[in-house]
Amino acid sequence: MLVGDTPFYADSLVGTYSKIMDHRNSLHFPQEVDISHSAKNLICGFLTDRTKRLGRNGVEEIKNHLFFKNDQWTFENLRECVPPVVPELSGDDDTSNFEDVDKEDGPEESFPVPKAFSGNHLPFIGFTYSGDYQLLAFSGKESVDGLENHINNGTSDDIKISQLENLLDKEKRQVESLESRQKALTTQLEVMTRRETELREEIGRADKELTLLRHNYKEAQRRVEHETESRRKAESLFVELKKKFDEEQTKRARDASNSQQTSERVTSLEKQIKEMQSKLERETETVTRLRKQATEITVARQAAEQMANELQVARAQLQAQRDNLQQEVVTLQGQLSKERSSRSQASSLTAELESRLSALHLELEHSREKEEKAIMDNRQLTEKISALEKEAASLTLELKAAQARYNQEVVAHQETERSRILSKEEANLEVVKAKLNEEKSGRQRAELLAQEKERQTSMLSVDYRQIQQRLQKLEGEHRQEMEKVKVLQGQVEQEQQKRNVLQTDLAQQSSEAGRLRAREQQLVGEVAQLREAKRQIEEELHHLKTQRNVDQLQTKELQEQLEAEAYFSTLYKTQTQELREELDEKIRLQQELEEERSSLVHQLQLSLARGDSEALARSIAEETVADLEKERTMKELEYKDGVTKHHQELNAKEQIINTA
């Protein structure tokens, strides 16, 4: 907002991702925009790693930053302050503050969907924020906090049980989703292994065909070289004979007077012409043979071109498969990151469950202590109640005895009074009064004592009722505590089961992550091998093209030489006709030329025999070398096939071991 641009902008989404991941080196401030030091510090504090990010210790760390300190407003009165710019609006649909956009009269542009892989929908691997994970963590934390608040506030057991059942259902659904993911990943791995085996088989067949084509091409090249060498030898012999013929012509010019010598020379030249004709026929045969070989070479070249085209198609397919494998690698990386996040979530859940388990253990111990205290209080109260009941019974007995004594004394006193009144009313009046006073005082004391005893009994009855109420209350609390203890024991057992399940899931996910890492490394190696094979195929294709051009040039040269030889043959025919006309004049030179011819023929036969023997030996050696090379290539292919099969068996056994 200060600069008017995003901090990590790039032309592609992958480039933006890479800049965000490399934020330490990719965050730059433009020099043409004047930004204060506090603003730069705030931006750098936000756009950094989460362990060093501003606000990691609370929102007060952000509020106390220098960038937000001013004299106009604070975070407490921010909502009551008037903003610096207040737009004037006539209603909710007023758009007068937006700039008008001029619409073009032309047709609307329709942007086609790109068919090539652009990587715009790949998962952001390495990014620490995820909305789903936040919602899941928030809901889990909220449910756990709510559950703890309900437990601490002493809500009903039905709500606790329903919440625990909801948590158990969520855990079961998560376990089922993880199992379905594991099955999908195993099926994907099986499909990829099948594709891998098919690709390896296709590569092995292509290698065999390439080696056979190379061998055939080398054989054809060797034959062409052999034919060119033999042709060069024939050309050299033809040049020597031509030189000799020129010398003979010069001799014939010098010895024009000697017809016998010229005739002999003519006969020798006729013989040489015949030999040259025979050589010419042989050369034509060799030329036809070379043409046939050239046609065979062209056919082989066409086959090689077809094979090259097929290899290019196979290369395109391999590239497509490589792209698919890369996409699968990326998806597997995304799944691996998701599995890591789920594993971290599971670890956090296990930590929370452990904390809850410890809290439940503490609550269980507290409830046990309360129960023991209640039992002790109950015992003491029962003892007090029994003692009070004994005292109340003794007091009632004493009260009854006192009342009985009081009644007896009253009856005796009345009888004595009556007797004394009748006999000694006047004499014993003072004694009776004294006794009456004593009796009144005793009676008053007895009444006071009875009132005191009644008051004590009423107090004891009130205490007894209170103790009974307390006892009933303690018994109810004891029953509630026992029920809580049972519920907490059930929760502890459920939490232990959940913990065991989560530990097993965590172990499975870690093993799955290890397998995915190994599969990723294997796919990277296969991609490198496919690239290397692609490079070799391109080199071989280039080599075949160059060899094709060379073969075309050689065929052109052979055609030109054939035309020159035909021209020379016509010249030789004309010269033979002229020589036949001069034959009669030059018969005398025939003998000398025959002797020279015999010596030359002998030398030529020796040289031809040597050349044939050398060519035969060379062809035999080349054939043996070619056979040995073919055997070597076949052995190498068999060795490669064996190595690939061995690797496949090892990988299969490793997969079996990992699954076991």
Side-chain angles (χ1 to χ4, degrees):
M1 292 171 72
L2 294 174
V3 179
D5 196 2
T6 57
F8 304 111
Y9 177 75
D11 293 330
S12 64
L13 192 62
V14 179
T16 305
Y17 284 0
S18 63
K19 283 188 177 181
I20 291 170
M21 296 308 296
D22 193 15
H23 56 83
R24 295 182 181 85
N25 300 319
S26 61
L27 182 62
H28 300 290
F29 293 94
Q31 297 179 357
E32 62 268 16
V33 180
D34 190 9
I35 304 173
S36 64
H37 180 69
S38 60
K40 287 183 180 179
N41 191 2
L42 181 68
I43 292 168
C44 292
F46 281 139
L47 301 178
T48 185
D49 191 65
R50 62 187 177 89
T51 58
K52 301 177 182 178
R53 194 172 296 154
L54 185 65
R56 65 187 183 277
N57 297 322
V59 73
E60 296 296 327
E61 188 178 6
I62 301 171
K63 291 181 179 180
N64 295 326
H65 197 271
L66 292 174
F67 181 77
F68 298 110
K69 289 185 178 180
N70 54 13
D71 298 327
Q72 287 80 22
W73 57 269
T74 61
F75 282 96
E76 283 74 20
N77 62 358
L78 179 61
R79 293 184 180 275
E80 289 77 20
C81 291
V82 179
V85 178
V86 180
E88 295 180 359
L89 300 174
S90 62
D92 293 333
D93 57 349
D94 187 7
T95 60
S96 60
N97 292 302
F98 294 94
E99 294 179 359
D100 294 329
V101 180
D102 295 329
K103 293 184 178 180
E104 295 179 359
D105 296 330
E108 293 182 359
E109 293 182 0
S110 61
F111 298 96
V113 179
K115 294 182 180 178
F117 177 73
S118 60
N120 289 332
H121 300 288
L122 295 176
F124 197 171
I125 296 167
F127 193 53
T128 58
Y129 178 82
S130 176
D132 297 334
Y133 177 73
Q134 187 185 21
L135 289 172
L136 185 61
F138 182 75
S139 65
K141 193 181 291 181
E142 195 173 79
S143 63
V144 173
D145 292 336
L147 182 61
E148 289 179 356
N149 289 325
H150 283 301
I151 290 169
N152 292 325
N153 292 326
T155 56
S156 63
D157 296 331
D158 295 331
I159 297 170
K160 296 176 188 176
I161 292 164
S162 63
Q163 289 180 354
L164 289 171
E165 287 178 354
N166 291 325
L167 286 173
L168 184 62
D169 293 332
K170 287 181 181 178
E171 294 293 333
K172 286 180 179 178
R173 285 196 292 272
Q174 288 180 0
V175 168
E176 289 176 356
S177 64
L178 289 173
E179 288 178 355
S180 62
R181 286 181 186 173
Q182 184 181 3
K183 290 179 181 178
L185 289 172
T186 51
T187 54
Q188 288 179 1
L189 286 172
E190 289 176 357
V191 171
M192 290 172 72
T193 50
R194 290 174 185 171
R195 288 182 182 174
E196 183 182 357
T197 52
E198 290 176 357
L199 287 172
R200 284 181 179 174
E201 290 176 357
E202 289 179 357
I203 289 166
R205 288 196 293 272
D207 289 332
K208 289 180 181 180
E209 290 176 356
L210 278 173
T211 51
L212 292 172
L213 285 171
R214 285 177 186 171
H215 181 70
N216 294 325
Y217 181 73
K218 286 180 181 179
E219 287 290 329
Q221 190 175 5
R222 184 179 62 78
R223 290 175 183 174
V224 168
E225 289 177 355
H226 182 67
E227 293 295 333
T228 51
E229 286 179 359
S230 62
R231 185 176 176 184
R232 285 173 186 173
K233 288 179 182 179
E235 286 177 356
S236 63
L237 289 171
F238 181 73
V239 169
E240 289 177 358
L241 290 171
K242 191 175 180 182
K243 287 180 181 178
K244 289 179 181 180
F245 185 70
D246 293 332
E247 289 176 357
E248 291 297 328
Q249 283 183 350
T250 55
K251 287 180 181 179
R252 187 185 64 181
R254 285 197 300 265
D255 298 332
S257 60
N258 296 322
S259 62
Q260 187 177 359
Q261 291 178 357
T262 54
S263 63
E264 290 176 356
R265 286 178 181 177
V266 165
T267 54
S268 65
L269 286 171
E270 285 179 353
K271 289 179 180 180
Q272 288 178 0
I273 286 165
K274 290 178 180 179
E275 290 175 358
M276 289 300 293
Q277 286 178 354
S278 63
K279 287 181 181 179
L280 183 62
E281 290 175 355
R282 287 197 297 273
E283 289 293 329
T284 53
E285 290 176 356
T286 54
V287 167
T288 54
R289 191 170 65 251
L290 287 171
R291 284 181 179 174
K292 289 180 181 178
Q293 289 179 358
T295 53
E296 291 176 356
I297 289 167
T298 54
V299 171
R301 184 186 65 198
Q302 290 176 358
E305 287 177 354
Q306 290 178 358
M307 184 61 68
N309 293 323
E310 290 177 357
L311 289 172
Q312 285 180 355
V313 172
R315 185 185 66 185
Q317 291 177 358
L318 290 173
Q319 287 179 354
Q321 289 176 0
R322 184 191 65 188
D323 295 331
N324 292 324
L325 288 172
Q326 287 178 355
Q327 289 179 0
E328 289 177 358
V329 167
V330 171
T331 52
L332 288 172
Q333 286 177 355
Q335 291 176 358
L336 183 62
S337 64
K338 288 180 181 178
E339 291 296 329
R340 287 176 180 171
S341 64
S342 63
R343 187 176 66 181
S344 62
Q345 184 179 359
S347 62
S348 64
L349 285 172
T350 53
E352 290 176 359
L353 290 173
E354 286 177 356
S355 63
R356 285 172 60 194
L357 188 62
S358 62
L360 291 172
H361 281 299
L362 291 172
E363 288 181 358
L364 185 62
E365 290 176 358
H366 287 304
S367 64
R368 285 176 181 173
E369 290 176 358
K370 287 181 181 179
E371 185 181 357
E372 290 175 357
K373 287 180 180 179
I375 290 166
M376 293 295 291
D377 293 334
N378 193 4
R379 288 177 183 175
Q380 290 176 2
L381 289 170
T382 51
E383 289 175 356
K384 285 181 181 179
I385 287 164
S386 63
L388 289 170
E389 285 177 352
K390 288 177 182 179
E391 288 179 358
S394 62
L395 287 171
T396 52
L397 290 172
E398 287 177 357
L399 181 62
K400 288 179 181 179
Q403 286 179 355
R405 283 197 302 272
Y406 177 72
N407 293 322
Q408 288 176 2
E409 286 178 356
V410 168
V411 170
H413 180 67
Q414 288 176 358
E415 289 177 355
T416 55
E417 276 184 353
R418 289 172 183 175
S419 63
R420 285 174 184 177
I421 287 168
L422 292 172
S423 62
K424 295 177 180 179
E425 287 180 356
E426 293 178 357
N428 295 325
L429 184 61
E430 293 179 357
V431 177
V432 170
K433 286 181 180 180
K435 287 182 178 179
L436 285 171
N437 290 324
E438 288 177 359
E439 291 293 332
K440 284 181 181 179
S441 62
R443 185 177 179 182
Q444 288 176 357
R445 285 195 299 272
E447 287 178 355
L448 290 172
L449 196 137
Q451 290 176 359
E452 184 69 24
K453 294 294 181 179
E454 286 178 357
R455 187 174 62 80
Q456 287 179 359
T457 53
S458 64
M459 289 175 68
L460 287 170
S461 64
V462 170
D463 291 334
Y464 180 70
R465 290 193 192 98
Q466 290 178 356
I467 288 165
Q468 282 183 348
Q469 290 177 359
R470 287 179 64 189
L471 181 61
Q472 291 175 358
K473 187 177 180 181
L474 288 171
E475 286 177 353
E477 289 179 355
H478 178 66
R479 285 195 295 273
Q480 290 179 359
E481 291 296 329
M482 288 297 290
E483 290 176 356
K484 285 183 181 179
V485 166
K486 290 178 181 179
V487 172
L488 290 173
Q489 286 179 356
Q491 289 178 358
V492 167
E493 291 176 356
Q494 289 178 359
E495 294 295 333
Q496 286 179 356
Q497 291 177 359
K498 288 181 182 178
R499 183 180 176 185
N500 295 324
V501 171
L502 288 172
Q503 285 179 356
T504 54
D505 291 336
L506 187 62
Q508 290 177 0
Q509 288 175 3
S510 61
S511 63
E512 187 68 26
R515 285 200 297 274
L516 289 172
R517 290 194 194 97
R519 183 58 183 166
E520 183 180 359
Q521 293 177 359
Q522 187 178 2
L523 290 171
V524 169
E526 289 178 358
V527 168
Q529 289 178 1
L530 290 171
R531 286 178 180 171
E532 185 67 23
K534 174 186 172 184
R535 187 180 62 77
Q536 291 178 359
I537 289 167
E538 286 178 352
E539 289 178 355
E540 289 176 358
L541 185 63
H542 181 69
H543 183 68
L544 288 170
K545 286 181 179 178
T546 53
Q547 193 64 35
R548 177 188 174 187
N549 294 324
V550 171
D551 292 335
Q552 287 178 355
L553 292 172
Q554 288 179 358
T555 52
K556 286 180 181 179
E557 289 177 356
L558 288 171
Q559 287 177 359
E560 290 175 355
Q561 290 176 2
L562 184 62
E563 290 175 357
E565 287 176 356
Y567 178 69
F568 283 122
S569 64
T570 54
L571 288 175
Y572 290 154
K573 287 178 181 178
T574 54
Q575 288 177 2
T576 51
Q577 289 176 1
E578 291 177 355
L579 290 170
R580 283 175 181 173
E581 291 176 354
E582 294 177 356
L583 184 61
D584 295 333
E585 296 178 356
K586 297 178 180 179
I587 295 171
R588 291 177 294 175
L589 299 172
Q590 186 176 2
Q591 293 178 354
E592 294 178 359
L593 291 172
E594 284 180 356
E595 291 176 358
E596 291 178 0
R597 183 183 63 78
S598 62
S599 63
L600 289 170
V601 167
H602 184 67
Q603 291 177 0
L604 183 62
Q605 287 177 355
L606 290 173
S607 63
L608 288 170
R610 289 176 183 173
D612 293 332
S613 63
E614 290 176 356
L616 184 62
R618 183 177 177 183
S619 64
I620 292 166
E622 287 176 351
E623 287 178 356
T624 55
V625 169
D627 293 331
L628 290 172
E629 286 180 353
K630 188 174 180 180
E631 289 178 358
R632 184 173 64 82
T633 53
M634 295 300 288
K635 292 291 183 182
E636 288 178 354
L637 288 172
E638 289 177 357
Y639 177 71
K640 287 180 181 177
D641 292 333
V643 169
T644 52
K645 288 180 181 178
H646 182 64
H647 284 300
Q648 289 176 358
E649 290 177 356
L650 285 176
N651 291 323
K653 288 179 180 178
E654 287 179 355
Q655 289 178 359
I656 291 165
I657 290 166
N658 291 323
T659 52

